[in-house]
Amino acid sequence: MHYRLRGRAAEVRQRWEALRSERDERTRRLTAAAEAQALGRGGIAVVAEVTGLGPATTRRGLADLAHPEGLPPAGLIRRPGGGRKPLTQHDPTLRAGLLALIDPSTRGDPESSLRWTCKSLTQLAAALEARGHRVSPTTVRRVLHAEQYSLQAPPKTLEGPTQHPDRDAQFQYIADRTTAAQAAAQPVISVDAKKKELIGNFKTGGHEWQPAGQPERVLVYDFLNLAVRKATPYGIYDLTRNAGWVTVGSDHDTAQFAVATIRRWWQDRGRAPYPHATTLSIVADGGGSNGYRVRLWKAELQRLATDTGLAIHVSHLPPGTSQWNKIEHRLFSVIGRSWRGRPLTTFETLVQCIAQTTTTTGLTVHAEWDPAPYPTGLVVSDEDFKAIHLEPDAFHGEWNSTIRPAS
């Protein structure tokens, strides 16, 4: 370094270090050029020693100072178009190759390298490299986002290859009858059986607050022979009062069990809020223990109608549409969160978890255990079935009907 510049190098270093963290790439280059310009001959070497920037960088900064019209616009570090170009520009076939891999039609294609492979970023990058593209999982993600792709789970919205032609008409029919019953202060309930739960020290979905490093220990396998019993929750949802009732059975899910649950709900929770009720409207699935083809379901409802004096009107959802039953997304979807991360070791645990269920919309739930046996294989004879006071509706009488009390 020239002797005349040695003293000034310390001043340059002091100024440089004072604002080192505040400079971006553009500002560092211009500041170094201004210092070199102020030092004069030999200034580039001094700045290089003090700042660690290469002489070429300082010279580029001097050129920018000499021709400021070529500087990037305010707020930008580089001129428009500067910087490293996207990989898709260096490899124009990358985008098409990636889209071909994730095209749903390639599933099942014997020529596709991802025929039976989940399409993770790492696997996509590996498949592209095998086809001659130099690409990383990060670049694959960037290209997918640019093409408006995102990780999505398949929603359950399709109801099968065929739908009943009167599907929508039946939904409208149920809605109209529900509105009319509510306007007349008559009870309307949605009923269904929830999936069975294993009672035992098994893992349940979700997480529960526990001391750090002390999670609840559960069995490795969910084998049926390790379970204490199997619980069968049957639910009732009062559409008008936003109130639920769940009976946890320990035997089979039969029509007897279903109607016994409705009977207990009416005696304990249903009769008082509807003191002038003459009709009970029930919305149920088309299959299961409360299906429209189940004779025992109708026979048990006849006993209930006779005992309570209520005319019981039942509307069944069209085949394949059980997910649209009100109880599914207003009660069952909520109570499952009550035991997240908590093993259902006893029936009492399950009942208490269900009974504690609430929502911000004011849902309340009553739950109880029914240890009574409900055997399968019960048959309703033709003679007994003819004795049912069954009045089919004019619109799809197989789905919509009224059972009146016996005299």
Side-chain angles (χ1 to χ4, degrees):
M1 183 186 302
H2 198 279
Y3 70 91
R4 73 179 179 83
L5 299 178
R6 289 186 180 277
R8 300 184 63 182
E11 299 175 5
V12 174
R13 187 185 306 277
Q14 184 178 9
R15 288 192 296 269
W16 183 264
E17 294 295 337
L19 297 174
R20 173 185 290 272
S21 61
E22 302 297 329
R23 298 189 184 95
D24 54 26
E25 176 185 333
R26 171 185 173 178
T27 308
R28 284 197 300 271
R29 183 173 66 249
L30 295 178
T31 303
E35 293 286 357
Q37 194 174 54
L39 292 174
R41 181 185 176 94
I44 293 179
V46 174
V47 170
E49 180 177 339
V50 171
T51 65
L53 298 180
T57 301
T58 304
R59 291 191 183 96
R60 191 162 64 251
L62 289 170
D64 291 338
L65 292 178
H67 303 282
E69 67 278 2
L71 289 173
L76 297 181
I77 297 176
R78 300 182 180 90
R79 297 183 184 91
R84 180 180 297 179
K85 301 299 184 290
L87 190 59
T88 50
Q89 292 189 17
H90 295 290
D91 185 358
T93 62
L94 173 61
R95 174 183 171 276
L98 176 57
L99 295 181
L101 286 178
I102 63 173
D103 189 337
S105 63
T106 60
R107 277 294 175 96
D109 178 5
E111 300 301 323
S112 172
S113 60
L114 296 182
R115 182 182 179 187
W116 307 115
T117 307
C118 292
K119 296 175 285 191
S120 70
L121 296 176
T122 302
Q123 291 161 340
L124 286 170
L128 288 170
E129 286 195 350
R131 298 186 178 190
H133 302 279
R134 296 184 60 185
V135 63
S136 68
T138 302
T139 302
V140 171
R141 182 178 65 238
R142 189 180 300 116
V143 175
L144 288 176
H145 285 173
E147 294 297 324
Q148 303 301 313
Y149 277 82
S150 62
L151 289 175
Q152 301 180 46
K156 291 184 177 181
T157 55
L158 302 180
E159 298 171 0
T162 59
Q163 294 182 4
H164 197 282
D166 290 335
R167 169 195 181 277
D168 293 343
Q170 174 65 2
F171 276 114
Q172 188 60 52
Y173 187 79
I174 293 174
D176 293 342
R177 285 202 60 99
T178 298
T179 302
Q182 291 175 323
Q186 302 295 311
V188 183
I189 60 175
S190 171
V191 302
D192 195 14
K194 195 180 184 300
K195 76 177 186 68
K196 297 178 174 60
E197 301 288 345
L198 294 180
I199 300 300
N201 194 25
F202 302 113
K203 181 179 179 179
T204 57
H207 301 79
E208 177 75 2
W209 288 105
Q210 299 283 358
Q214 301 179 34
E216 191 86 19
R217 304 293 178 178
V218 296
L219 296 173
V220 175
Y221 302 107
D222 295 348
F223 293 152
L224 184 59
N225 63 332
L226 298 177
V228 177
R229 293 284 289 277
K230 201 179 333 184
T232 304
Y234 191 89
I236 298 171
Y237 177 71
D238 187 331
L239 274 68
T240 305
R241 299 175 52 245
N242 191 27
W245 173 293
V246 179
T247 297
V248 179
S250 55
D251 204 42
H252 300 96
D253 175 22
T254 67
Q256 268 191 327
F257 173 56
V259 178
T261 300
I262 298 174
R263 182 187 296 272
R264 294 166 76 172
W265 165 81
W266 175 252
Q267 293 173 348
D268 194 279
R269 290 289 194 277
R271 183 165 47 189
Y274 303 100
H276 305 295
T278 58
T279 302
L280 171 62
S281 297
I282 300 176
V283 181
D285 291 349
S289 59
N290 46 225
Y292 69 93
R293 289 193 179 99
V294 181
R295 284 188 167 189
L296 185 59
W297 163 251
K298 293 180 172 63
E300 291 296 323
L301 287 178
Q302 176 65 78
R303 295 189 181 94
L304 178 62
T306 301
D307 293 344
T308 60
L310 295 171
I312 300 179
H313 184 272
V314 182
S315 291
H316 293 275
L317 298 178
T321 62
S322 60
Q323 71 272 23
W324 305 118
N325 199 346
K326 296 292 186 183
I327 194 173
E328 292 289 345
H329 48 89
R330 294 192 181 178
L331 179 63
F332 287 165
S333 64
V334 183
I335 63 176
R337 298 199 296 263
S338 300
W339 58 78
R340 59 186 179 189
R342 182 183 306 176
L344 303 175
T345 54
T346 64
F347 281 95
E348 182 181 12
T349 302
L350 177 57
V351 169
Q352 289 180 349
C353 287
I354 295 175
Q356 293 172 1
T357 304
T358 58
T359 64
T360 55
T361 58
L363 173 70
T364 59
V365 183
H366 173 85
E368 59 182 43
W369 178 38
D370 182 3
Y374 293 98
T376 58
L378 298 181
V379 178
V380 177
S381 65
D382 293 343
E383 183 179 355
D384 291 339
F385 187 72
K386 290 179 181 178
I388 299 175
H389 294 249
L390 183 64
E391 299 177 1
D393 290 9
F395 179 77
H396 277 287
E398 75 279 15
W399 293 341
N400 308 288
S401 59
T402 300
I403 298 177
R404 300 198 178 278
S407 58

